[in-house]
Amino acid sequence: MATAAANSASEPEAEPKAGPKAVGEEDEVKAARTRRKVLSRAVAAATYKTMGPGWDQQEEGVSESDGDEYAMASSAESSPGEYEWEYDEEEEKNQLEIERLEEQLSINVYDYNCHVDLIRLLRLEGELTKVRMARQKMSEIFPLTEELWLEWLHDEISMAQDGLDREHVYDLFEKAVKDYICPNIWLEYGQYSVGGIGQKGGLEKVRSVFERALSSVGLHMTKGLALWEAYREFESAIVEAARPVAGFLSPFDREQTFDSQLEKVHSLFRRQLAIPLYDMEATFAEYEEWSEDSIPDSVIQNYNKALQQLEKYKPYEEALLQAEAPRLAEYQAYIDFEMKIGDPARIQLIFERALVENCLVPDLWIRYSQYLDRQLKVKDLVLSVHNRAIRNCPWTVALWSRYLLAMERHGVDHQVISVTFEKALNAGFIQATDYVEIWQAYLDYLRRRVDFKQDSSKELEELRAAFARALEYLKQEVEERFNESGDPSCVIMQNWARIEARLCNNMQKARELWDSIMTRGNAKYANMWLEYYNLERAHGDTQHCRKALHRAVQCTSDYPEHVCEVLLTMERTEGSLEDWDIAVQKTETRLARVNEQRLKAAEKEAALVQQEEEKAEQRKRARAEKKALKKKKKTRGPDKRGADEDDEKEWGDDEEEQPSKRRRVENSIPAAGETQNMESAAGPAGKCAVVDVEPPSKQKEKAASLKRDMPKVLHDSSKDSITVFVSNLPYSMQEPDAKLKPLFEACGEVVQIRPIFSNRGDFRGYCYVEFKEEKSALQALEMDRKSVEGRPMFVSPCVDKSKNPDFKVFRYSTSLEKHKLFISGLPFSCTKEELEEICKVHGTVKDLRLVTNRAGKPKGLAYVEYENESQASQAVMKMDGMTIKENVIKVAISNPPQRKVPEKPEARKASGGPMPSPQTYGARGKGRTQLALLPRALQRPSAAAPQAENGPAPAPAVATPPATEAPKMSNADFAKLFLRK
C-alpha cells in the first residue's frame, strides 16, 4: 500500500488495460488513482519543506498550487453530483412549502423534521445562502447526523476557493466531530487537511487531525482500521518521496529528517498492532513486508495479546453486525461487558457508538453521563456529553436537571447556568410534573449559593424572587397548558417555608406560606397539618402549635383520629387542665361527627347495593317468566331430547356461553328463497296470506337431525397452542368455514375450522381455527381486529379459562407511553387516511388506530404512535384544540387510567365481608341468558365446573363422599324436568 503510494509520486500513471470491468468499478479505480496522485504530490510538497533545498521540487513537477487539487478531486468524488437547477412548475409549490416551514419554525423551533425538510427544499432550489443559515440554526439546537454533516461539508468544500474558505471548512469539521463519534467524518477531515498541506503549518495540521482521529475512533474494531491505514499511508508516502535524496544528505541531516520520518511509520505500525482490530493479520503481514529489519519481540507479544483480546470482543461485534438498527439490546450487553473490564477509553467509545444509532434514548444518555460524572470527572468531556444529551432529548427533564448539577459541580459561571435553565423552560416538556422538577433543581442550586450567615444578600433576594416566579409560572403557564399545576402538594412552597423558618429565622413568612398551602385544597389531609405542626415545634412556639392542631382537628377528613391523638399527646405533656379539657371536648365532638358521617355513607352505599340487587332480581324474574311462557306455547319433540343428551363434550354446541335470545337484525334476514316465498304469500294489502308453515316441533326436529349429522369433535387440550379463537363474526355469515379458510391460509396450513352453531342451526358468530404449526397460530393473532364483512374480527389464543381464570387478551399497553397520543372528539366520518395526513405533518407516524365498537363503528377516538417523544410532544402542542370537520378535538399523551382489578374472594374473606357462593362457568365465562331453574333454597355450590362443550375442558373435580355430593345435572336436564310438569 505504502509502496504503491510512493511509486505513484515518481512514476507516470500507466494506462488501464481494457477489460470487462463495470463502469462503476472503473470510476472507483479512477477516483482512487486521482486521490493517490494528489496525495503523493501534496506529500512531495511537504517533503520539500521538510528536507530543504536538496529536494528540487520543480524537477518533479510539483507546485504549491497542486495541494489544492485534492479538494477538487475529493469533492468531485464524494459530492452528490452537478445539479442543473431547472425552474419548472414545481418551483412555486416549493416556495410555498418553504414559507410554510419557516413560519412553523418561528412557532416551534424544536421541530426536528421541519428543519430537515426546510434544508432539503432550500438545497433543491439552490438557495445556498439560505441553506447555510438553515443548517446553522439547526446545528445550534440539535446535533446533526453523520449524513447531514457530510452533505453540508461536501457543499462547503465544493464552494471553497481561498484560504479563508478553507478555514471555514475546518471550523465545520470541528463542529461535526463534536456531535457524534463518526469515523467517516474523521476520515474526510484528514483527507481534506492533506489538501492544505502546501499552506503554512499544513503538515502539522494533517498530523494533528489524524492523531485526534485515532484518539477518538482508533479503537473502533470495525471502522478504526481505515483511519490507521490513511495516516500510515500519508507518512509512508513522505518516506518514499524522500528516499531518492536521502543518499545525498549528510549523516546528521539524514538522521534528523529521513530516519525520523521512517521511525514515524514504524511507530504507527506498532501502535496499531497493539490494538484489537479486525483484519490484524493482514496488517502484521504488511509490516513484515515493509520493514527491512526483523520485528521486535515486544511488538509480537503485543500483537498476540491484541489477538486474544479480539477473540473476547468478537461475539459482541458479530452480534452488532447481525442485528438490525438501532441494536439497543446488543449495545447494552456490549456496554455491560466493557464496564466489567473497566477501560475508560473503550467504555467511552462503546457508549458513543451506541448513541450514534440510539441518540433519542434518554436512558442511554443518563447512563453515559452518570458514568462520566462518577468516574472520569473531566470537565470538558462531562459538560460536552451533558450538552449533547439535552440537544438530542430536550423533552427529558432528568437530562436538564443533571446538566445543571454538572455545571454547578464544575464551577460554571452563574450566568451560563441561568441561561441554560431558561432554555429548559422552553424545551416543551410533556408533563406538568416535569416543570416542577426542573424548577426544584434550579431552586436547589440557588439555595446553595446563599450565605445564610448574612441577614440579607443579593443571592438571598434572587432565591426569594425565583421562588415567587416559580409559583407564578406554575399557576399561569403550566396550568394553562396542562389544566394542572403539577404540584398539588405545593412541594415548592413547602421548601420555601422550610428555608424561611430554618435558615432565615423568618417564621412569620413561613406561616404565611403554610396558610397559602392550606387554602389550595390541602387542609383536608392530616399529613400536611402534621408537617406544619413539626415545623412549628422546631422553629415556632407552643401557642402556634396548639392553634395549628386545633385547626387540623376541624379540617382533616382522611385521618382525623391521628390528628386528635397528636393534639391530646401535646396537651398531656405540655398543656394546662383547661387546655386538656378543651382538647378532649373538641376531639370527642369531631370524632362523633366523623363516625356519624361514615355511618350515613355506609348506609347510603348499602341502600344503593340493595337497589341494584333488587333491580337485578326483577330482571332475572322477568326473563325467567318470559322464557317459561315461551316454552309453554311450544311443544317439544322426542328427538330434541335425544339431541340434547348427545350434546355433551361437543365442539358443535355451546352450553356454557348462550347468546341473547333476542336475535339481531342480521340474524333475522331470510334466505333468498324464503324472501321470495314470503313475497308471493303476501296479499295486495301487504298482509301475509295463509301459507303452509312447518310447526315449531317439526322445525326443531329438523334442526336436531342436522346437529346429529354434524361430526362431533372432542376438544383436545394439547392442541391449544396451534388453535386460535375467532369471535365477533357476523351472524349472517353463510358457510363460515369456507369463507374464513382462505383468509387464515395466508398465515399457514389450516387443519380445520370449527364454527359454532345454535340448536336451530344458526351461526353463533365465533369459531375455532386449528393450524398445523404453532408459528402459523401466532401469526394469525396479528389478524386481530381485521374487518370481515363490515365487523372487526377478534382473534385470541385458545385458552381454558377454567384453568386460567385471570387470562385476558389485551394487545395494547395500559401504561404511560410518551411517544403515543390519545385523540378524542373526532367526527365519526373521519377516516384513518385523513387523520394520518394531519398527524404526519408533526413527525413520522409509526401506527394509527381508530377505536371502534364491536360492530366496527367509530367511537370518535384514536391512538397515534410517533417515532419518538419529541415528535409526540410537538404534535400535542400543535393539534390540541384543532378543529376537524367542525369538531374540536382534544389531544394528550397516552396515559390510560388504571383498570380496576376485581377483589378476589380470599381478600373479601380476610376483610370480613360476605362470601358469595362460588360459581363455576365454562371456558368462555357465564352467558347472558343462563337461568337458574332450581329454587334458591335448594341451590348448592357445585363441587366442580361442568364440562365445557365448545372450549377447552376444565380440570376434573376432586371426588367427594356420596352422602354430600350434589347431583350433577346440565341445563338440558333441568329443561326436561321443567317440561314434564
Side-chain angles (χ1 to χ4, degrees):
M1 185 185 303
T3 307
N7 292 338
S8 64
S10 56
E11 297 179 3
E13 294 291 325
E15 292 294 331
K17 296 182 180 179
K21 287 188 177 181
V23 177
E25 294 179 358
E26 292 180 357
D27 292 342
E28 279 189 19
V29 172
K30 290 179 180 179
R33 186 181 297 115
T34 303
R35 185 170 66 249
R36 182 171 294 158
K37 181 178 179 181
V38 174
L39 174 65
S40 300
R41 290 182 177 179
V43 167
T47 306
Y48 172 76
K49 293 181 177 294
T50 304
M51 303 296 292
W55 172 258
D56 189 1
Q57 182 178 354
Q58 299 300 327
E59 283 186 5
E60 298 295 331
V62 177
S63 64
E64 293 187 1
S65 61
D66 286 337
D68 293 332
E69 186 179 349
Y70 174 75
M72 300 169 58
S74 177
S75 62
E77 173 192 354
S78 57
S79 62
E82 296 181 0
Y83 292 94
E84 297 180 0
W85 307 104
E86 300 178 358
Y87 295 92
D88 50 13
E89 64 277 1
E90 293 186 0
E91 179 186 358
E92 184 177 356
K93 181 180 178 182
N94 291 340
Q95 289 296 332
L96 292 175
E97 181 67 12
I98 289 173
E99 293 176 1
R100 187 190 69 81
L101 293 173
E102 289 176 344
E103 181 180 359
Q104 187 170 346
L105 285 176
S106 65
I107 300 173
N108 181 19
V109 74
Y110 287 97
D111 193 334
Y112 184 89
N113 292 327
C114 191
H115 281 284
V116 175
D117 294 339
L118 179 61
I119 292 172
R120 177 181 57 81
L121 286 176
L122 290 174
R123 192 169 184 266
L124 185 64
E125 291 296 316
E127 301 284 350
L128 301 181
T129 304
K130 290 185 177 181
V131 75
R132 179 180 290 176
M133 293 176 60
R135 283 166 169 164
Q136 185 67 29
K137 289 181 179 179
M138 184 178 181
S139 65
E140 292 174 357
I141 302 172
F142 299 104
L144 304 187
T145 62
E146 179 180 353
E147 293 76 12
L148 291 175
W149 271 119
L150 288 176
E151 183 183 75
W152 188 1
L153 290 167
H154 291 160
D155 291 346
E156 294 292 344
I157 290 173
S158 63
M159 293 186 294
Q161 296 179 354
D162 53 17
L164 294 177
D165 292 338
R166 179 172 289 276
E167 291 298 325
H168 172 66
V169 175
Y170 283 155
D171 293 339
L172 282 182
F173 270 114
E174 291 295 331
K175 292 180 180 179
V177 297
K178 290 178 181 178
D179 278 353
Y180 298 108
I181 292 293
C182 298
N184 292 334
I185 294 180
W186 275 112
L187 189 60
E188 286 283 340
Y189 193 6
Q191 292 177 347
Y192 181 73
S193 63
V194 172
I197 199 171
Q199 298 179 352
K200 182 179 180 181
L203 180 61
E204 290 76 11
K205 176 71 175 179
V206 175
R207 286 173 174 163
S208 173
V209 169
F210 274 117
E211 287 293 339
R212 290 171 55 203
L214 293 182
S215 300
S216 180
V217 293
L219 298 177
H220 199 301
M221 295 186 64
T222 56
K223 297 183 179 181
L225 180 64
L227 280 167
W228 284 101
E229 289 185 347
Y231 190 13
R232 199 175 62 247
E233 182 178 352
F234 170 76
E235 297 291 355
S236 298
I238 296 178
V239 171
E240 298 302 326
R243 191 181 296 275
V245 298
F248 300 100
L249 300 177
S250 63
F252 177 79
D253 292 338
R254 176 185 173 90
E255 182 179 356
Q256 292 293 324
T257 55
F258 182 77
D259 292 346
S260 63
Q261 183 64 32
L262 196 64
E263 182 60 29
K264 286 184 173 63
V265 181
H266 279 285
S267 176
L268 285 175
F269 267 116
R270 294 167 185 171
R271 289 166 57 189
Q272 180 180 351
L273 291 174
I275 298 174
L277 298 173
Y278 271 43
D279 204 17
M280 292 185 64
E281 296 82 357
T283 304
F284 186 77
E286 182 182 352
Y287 187 29
E288 286 183 322
E289 181 182 355
W290 182 86
S291 178
E292 298 176 355
D293 303 327
S294 60
I295 300 177
D297 294 337
S298 59
V299 176
I300 297 176
Q301 291 178 359
N302 292 333
Y303 167 69
N304 293 329
K305 184 179 179 180
L307 284 177
Q308 294 176 0
Q309 293 178 349
L310 180 62
E311 294 300 321
K312 295 180 181 179
Y313 290 114
K314 268 188 177 180
Y316 298 96
E317 292 290 345
E318 291 174 358
L320 290 174
L321 294 174
Q322 295 172 3
E324 297 181 358
R327 298 185 275 263
L328 180 59
E330 289 76 14
Y331 275 119
Q332 292 282 15
Y334 205 163
I335 290 172
D336 294 338
F337 173 73
E338 291 286 10
M339 295 284 276
K340 290 180 181 178
I341 296 178
D343 185 353
R346 298 197 66 90
I347 293 174
Q348 182 184 352
L349 177 63
I350 191 58
F351 267 118
E352 294 288 354
R353 290 177 59 184
L355 288 169
V356 170
E357 299 183 21
N358 299 275
C359 59
L360 300 179
V361 180
D363 291 341
L364 191 59
W365 284 106
I366 290 175
R367 187 179 181 186
Y368 185 23
S369 60
Q370 183 176 341
Y371 168 77
L372 296 177
D373 286 334
R374 296 179 179 178
Q375 302 296 329
L376 297 187
K377 301 179 181 180
V378 179
K379 177 180 178 180
D380 293 338
L381 177 60
V382 169
L383 296 182
S384 172
V385 170
H386 278 288
N387 184 38
R388 290 162 53 203
I390 61 170
R391 292 172 65 201
N392 277 280
C393 307
W395 63 89
T396 307
V397 66
L399 294 175
W400 288 97
S401 301
R402 290 174 177 272
Y403 190 21
L404 293 178
L405 289 173
M407 288 193 290
E408 181 185 2
R409 194 177 293 119
H410 291 283
V412 178
D413 185 67
H414 170 63
Q415 188 65 27
V416 177
I417 297 179
S418 298
V419 170
T420 303
F421 168 70
E422 296 297 333
K423 290 181 180 179
L425 291 181
N426 297 322
F429 299 133
I430 59 179
Q431 295 185 77
T433 54
D434 293 345
Y435 288 94
V436 178
E437 183 177 344
I438 192 63
W439 268 110
Q440 191 61 56
Y442 184 59
L443 292 170
D444 291 343
Y445 157 70
L446 293 179
R447 194 265 306 164
R448 289 189 286 267
R449 295 183 67 242
V450 179
D451 183 8
F452 290 100
K453 295 179 181 179
Q454 303 178 9
D455 294 337
S456 179
S457 63
K458 180 181 177 181
E459 290 79 9
L460 179 58
E461 295 303 321
E462 184 179 2
L463 174 62
R464 286 172 173 164
F467 268 115
R469 183 191 169 200
L471 299 178
E472 189 70 19
Y473 186 90
L474 294 178
K475 182 179 179 180
Q476 293 184 356
E477 301 290 337
V478 178
E479 283 189 8
E480 181 180 351
R481 178 180 171 189
F482 298 98
N483 295 325
E484 60 169 328
S485 67
D487 191 14
S489 299
C490 300
V491 175
I492 291 180
M493 202 176 297
Q494 289 187 45
N495 291 336
W496 190 3
R498 293 190 193 100
I499 291 173
E500 293 289 353
R502 297 175 183 175
L503 301 178
C504 300
N505 298 320
N506 189 355
M507 274 304 300
Q508 182 61 32
K509 180 64 176 178
R511 293 185 184 110
E512 293 176 1
L513 291 170
W514 270 106
D515 286 340
S516 179
I517 291 172
M518 293 305 178
T519 57
R520 298 193 179 192
N522 294 298
K524 58 184 177 180
Y525 300 117
N527 65 322
M528 301 296 290
W529 285 108
L530 295 179
E531 185 71 25
Y532 178 31
Y533 166 73
N534 292 331
L535 190 67
E536 283 285 0
R537 291 285 292 179
H539 307 284
D541 52 47
T542 305
Q543 180 181 357
H544 285 90
C545 290
R546 182 176 291 110
K547 184 179 178 180
L549 288 178
H550 279 283
R551 291 176 60 191
V553 168
Q554 298 298 325
C555 300
T556 302
S557 59
D558 54 351
Y559 299 104
E561 298 87 352
H562 193 188
V563 175
C564 293
E565 182 181 354
V566 173
L567 175 59
L568 293 175
T569 302
M570 189 192 79
E571 299 297 358
R572 180 179 287 112
T573 57
E574 300 180 17
S576 62
L577 178 60
E578 183 181 358
D579 295 332
W580 170 260
D581 292 338
I582 295 174
V584 170
Q585 182 182 357
K586 285 194 173 184
T587 54
E588 288 179 350
T589 304
R590 174 60 177 165
L591 292 178
R593 187 164 62 250
V594 168
N595 291 331
E596 183 181 354
Q597 292 174 353
R598 290 175 179 173
L599 183 60
K600 289 182 179 179
E603 291 175 353
K604 185 177 180 179
E605 184 178 357
L608 292 176
V609 172
Q610 185 177 1
Q611 290 179 6
E612 291 296 328
E613 291 179 352
E614 291 176 356
K615 290 180 181 179
E617 188 65 26
Q618 290 176 3
R619 289 193 296 268
K620 191 174 183 180
R621 283 199 300 267
R623 286 196 298 266
E625 292 173 0
K626 187 176 180 180
K627 185 175 181 181
L629 185 61
K630 281 186 177 181
K631 286 189 176 290
K632 284 182 179 180
K633 294 180 180 180
K634 297 179 181 179
T635 58
R636 185 176 180 84
D639 292 338
K640 179 63 180 179
R641 298 193 191 98
D644 287 340
E645 293 173 356
D646 294 335
D647 279 344
E648 293 185 0
K649 299 183 181 179
E650 289 188 20
W651 281 90
D653 196 4
D654 182 20
E655 183 177 318
E656 300 298 334
E657 182 183 351
Q658 296 286 341
S660 175
K661 295 302 181 184
R662 292 175 294 180
R663 313 302 297 174
R664 303 197 181 193
V665 176
E666 59 185 9
N667 291 344
S668 61
I669 298 176
E674 296 175 2
T675 306
Q676 186 176 359
N677 294 336
M678 291 174 63
E679 292 176 354
S680 62
K687 298 181 180 180
C688 292
V690 179
V691 294
D692 294 334
V693 181
E694 294 182 352
S697 60
K698 292 287 186 181
Q699 293 178 2
K700 291 190 176 182
E701 182 180 351
K702 185 177 180 180
S705 63
L706 289 174
K707 287 183 66 62
R708 284 198 303 269
D709 294 339
M710 291 176 61
K712 300 177 182 179
V713 182
L714 294 177
H715 174 61
D716 187 359
S717 300
S718 62
K719 294 183 179 180
D720 286 351
S721 61
I722 58 174
T723 306
V724 295
F725 176 70
V726 183
S727 60
N728 202 44
L729 296 170
Y731 295 131
S732 60
M733 181 180 287
Q734 302 292 330
E735 298 181 357
D737 52 346
K739 290 188 177 181
L740 293 176
K741 190 170 184 179
L743 191 64
F744 283 98
E745 280 182 342
C747 303
E749 183 178 350
V750 178
V751 176
Q752 62 176 333
I753 297 179
R754 297 187 287 273
I756 307 304
F757 296 91
S758 66
N759 294 334
R760 298 176 57 184
D762 296 331
F763 180 46
R764 299 292 301 278
Y766 59 92
C767 64
Y768 295 85
V769 182
E770 181 182 337
F771 292 91
K772 187 175 181 180
E773 298 179 349
E774 184 176 353
K775 64 179 182 179
S776 302
L778 296 176
Q779 187 176 353
L781 295 176
E782 299 178 0
M783 300 178 65
D784 185 35
R785 310 211 176 241
K786 182 179 179 64
S787 179
V788 176
E789 296 188 5
R791 292 177 65 91
M793 174 181 65
F794 299 160
V795 184
S796 58
C798 184
V799 177
D800 185 355
K801 286 196 174 179
S802 63
K803 297 179 181 178
N804 302 277
D806 296 332
F807 177 80
K808 290 184 179 180
V809 178
F810 192 72
R811 58 183 293 189
Y812 304 109
S813 173
T814 58
S815 59
L816 174 65
E817 295 180 282
K818 296 183 178 180
H819 65 289
K820 185 180 290 187
L821 303 184
F822 172 68
I823 304 177
S824 59
L826 290 169
F828 294 151
S829 60
C830 182
T831 63
K832 181 178 179 180
E833 291 74 17
E834 292 174 346
L835 184 58
E836 187 173 3
E837 285 295 325
I838 298 173
C839 295
K840 72 180 184 181
V841 175
H842 310 291
T844 303
V845 177
K846 296 180 64 178
D847 185 34
L848 189 148
R849 174 171 63 94
L850 290 176
V851 182
T852 61
N853 57 16
R854 295 179 69 89
K857 303 299 181 182
K859 299 174 69 174
L861 308 174
Y863 287 91
V864 182
E865 182 180 356
Y866 280 96
E867 194 172 30
N868 52 59
E869 300 174 17
S870 175
Q871 297 177 2
S873 62
Q874 294 166 15
V876 170
M877 291 187 292
K878 296 293 184 60
M879 295 176 59
D880 189 27
M882 179 186 292
T883 302
I884 299 178
K885 295 183 180 180
E886 300 182 357
N887 283 40
V888 179
I889 64 172
K890 293 183 178 180
V891 185
I893 297 296
S894 176
N895 188 15
Q898 295 295 328
R899 295 193 168 193
K900 293 184 179 180
V901 181
E903 187 179 3
K904 295 188 177 180
E906 294 80 358
R908 238 182 262 158
K909 185 175 181 180
S911 61
M915 280 291 294
S917 59
Q919 299 182 12
T920 54
Y921 307 109
R924 305 300 304 176
K926 179 181 178 181
R928 290 180 293 177
T929 60
Q930 285 184 340
L931 295 176
L933 300 180
L934 188 66
R936 268 192 267 173
L938 300 178
Q939 285 183 356
R940 298 179 183 177
S942 58
Q947 175 70 30
E949 296 183 6
N950 297 317
V958 180
T960 56
T964 60
E965 184 177 7
K968 298 181 180 179
M969 301 179 68
S970 65
N971 286 352
D973 295 331
F974 283 116
K976 294 173 189 177
L977 292 175
F978 183 79
L979 291 173
R980 286 173 185 171
K981 292 182 179 179

